[in-house]
Amino acid sequence: MFPTPRRQVIGLAAAALLAGPALALAQTGDWPNRPIKFIVPYLAGTAPDTSARTIADAMGPMLKQTIVVENKPGAAGNLGAQIAARSAPDGYTWVYAASPMAGSMRMYKKPGFDVLKDFAMVGRISVSDLLVIAPVDSGLRNLGDLLERARRNPGKLNYASGGVGSPAHLGAELMLGAGGVTANHVPFKGASESLNAVIGKQVDFALTISSVALPQWKAGKVAALGITSAKRNPALAAVPTLIEQGLAGVEIVSFGGLAVPAGTPPSIVKRMNEVLREALAKPEVRAAIDAQGATPAPSSPEEYAEAMRAEIALTEKMMKAARLEAQ
């Protein structure tokens, strides 16, 4: 084998440098050219799952590709996030990135991923408030009734949430702390299961995403005691906010959006954000999200990353108020 002349080596290196951007363009220029996997780290039928499927159905035809939603629940959403974080950064694996993913950065010592380092945020899909619910025949009709019962039965009431560190869990502790009472936390695998625990009278009350509880409230299967947003939810206009009922400063919202593994080409992230915004502008998509009791809330990738950072800080604040330690 003869050694390669130095001039030729330099020429080959220069050609490689010039070919680099062209090669990257070739890899992303025809994206997407095969089906896309959309990981939802929560149970099928939950609000995040419904939201993700609504968006997948809208974005698929726009990208001219099939978007397959895969539910990967477990560990309060951490399992699905871990799977997504380890996936190839090629634009063919998406993840429903919601506020609990940010909360996990403080709620768990080893969540198995870093929401700010392992993912590139694409954009927000929607925001939702939480609803305080109780069994329909519990005799509880508002927040005052619940707090008074808790005072008369210290440490005896049980409440459900969609998991340790979820907005429902932290929100309940913040609410109870502001009301000067305590209750026992019973975590479930998701909002739907915590809702069923209320209907089945396994617990005394729960905080759950409004979109999950809305159909059961309309059907008269649960009592709605209060809403956690700053203003009343139009879909639950008869339900007063916690602030209206005397708990100043207790305002909790949950949000969900779209992210991809870190390292995904910026051109793909940009294209995804453009298509996501177009999807959220469609009347039928907005109507579907509104029907879930949520509010469409598109954002830029940068704005969504900032929302995640703010949620991490809020989680830390709520944990201190509730005197919770990382698991």
Side-chain angles (χ1 to χ4, degrees):
M1 178 179 291
F2 297 100
T4 304
R6 184 171 181 273
R7 183 177 297 175
Q8 185 176 344
V9 170
I10 294 174
L12 290 172
L17 288 173
L18 291 172
L23 179 59
L25 181 62
Q27 290 174 339
T28 62
D30 62 347
W31 178 90
N33 57 23
R34 55 186 170 88
I36 295 166
K37 177 171 62 178
F38 192 172
I39 295 175
V40 176
Y42 308 101
L43 294 167
T46 59
D49 176 66
T50 302
S51 180
R53 292 178 188 276
T54 297
I55 290 300
D57 288 345
M59 292 180 68
M62 298 167 72
L63 292 171
K64 299 180 181 179
Q65 283 296 335
T66 300
I67 300 175
V68 181
V69 174
E70 293 187 5
N71 296 92
K72 300 291 184 181
N78 291 349
L79 178 61
Q82 292 167 14
I83 294 171
R86 294 194 295 266
S87 299
D90 55 10
Y92 291 97
T93 299
W94 300 359
V95 62
Y96 185 87
S99 44
M101 282 176 62
S104 289
M105 298 299 95
R106 293 294 179 267
M107 280 301 305
Y108 295 91
K109 295 177 181 178
K110 295 181 179 180
F113 68 95
D114 187 311
V115 73
L116 296 177
K117 294 180 180 179
D118 294 335
F119 296 99
M121 296 299 145
V122 173
R124 185 173 49 225
I125 295 172
S126 63
V127 296
S128 179
D129 41 34
L130 305 179
L131 189 64
V132 185
I133 58 172
V136 70
D137 58 354
S138 64
L140 302 175
R141 289 295 175 267
N142 53 50
L143 181 63
D145 290 346
L146 174 61
L147 296 179
E148 179 58 29
R149 183 168 296 182
R151 289 190 188 97
R152 287 189 281 104
N153 300 277
K156 293 184 179 181
L157 268 61
N158 298 317
Y159 76 90
S161 83
V164 175
S166 66
H169 174 208
L170 294 178
E173 289 296 333
L174 188 64
M175 178 188 76
L176 293 168
V181 298
T182 61
N184 304 309
H185 179 219
V186 183
F188 286 83
K189 291 182 179 180
S192 295
E193 289 193 3
S194 66
L195 171 65
N196 290 334
V198 172
I199 295 174
K201 302 180 184 178
Q202 299 172 36
V203 294
D204 298 290
F205 69 98
L207 260 72
T208 183
I209 297 176
S210 298
S211 55
V212 174
L214 182 61
Q216 302 300 337
W217 175 71
K218 286 183 174 180
K221 294 185 177 180
V222 295
L225 312 184
I227 201 86
T228 65
S229 53
K231 298 179 180 180
R232 294 197 185 197
N233 188 322
L236 299 129
V239 182
T241 68
L242 300 187
I243 296 173
E244 285 181 276
Q245 298 184 71
L247 289 191
V250 181
E251 179 186 345
I252 309 117
V253 296
S254 179
F255 58 79
L258 185 55
V260 290
T264 299
S267 58
I268 291 180
V269 175
K270 182 175 182 292
R271 175 63 177 149
M272 287 178 63
N273 180 264
E274 291 171 348
V275 176
L276 176 60
R277 284 176 177 272
E278 290 178 30
L280 289 171
K282 291 180 176 292
E284 64 271 24
V285 173
R286 298 186 69 85
I289 293 175
D290 287 340
Q292 297 166 19
T295 302
S299 74
S300 68
E302 294 76 18
E303 289 169 338
Y304 200 45
E306 182 55 38
M308 286 290 183
R309 281 190 283 270
E311 186 68 17
I312 292 173
L314 177 61
T315 299
E316 187 170 346
K317 177 182 177 181
M318 289 196 293
M319 286 177 65
K320 287 182 180 179
R323 297 178 182 178
L324 295 176
E325 297 291 334
Q327 304 295 307

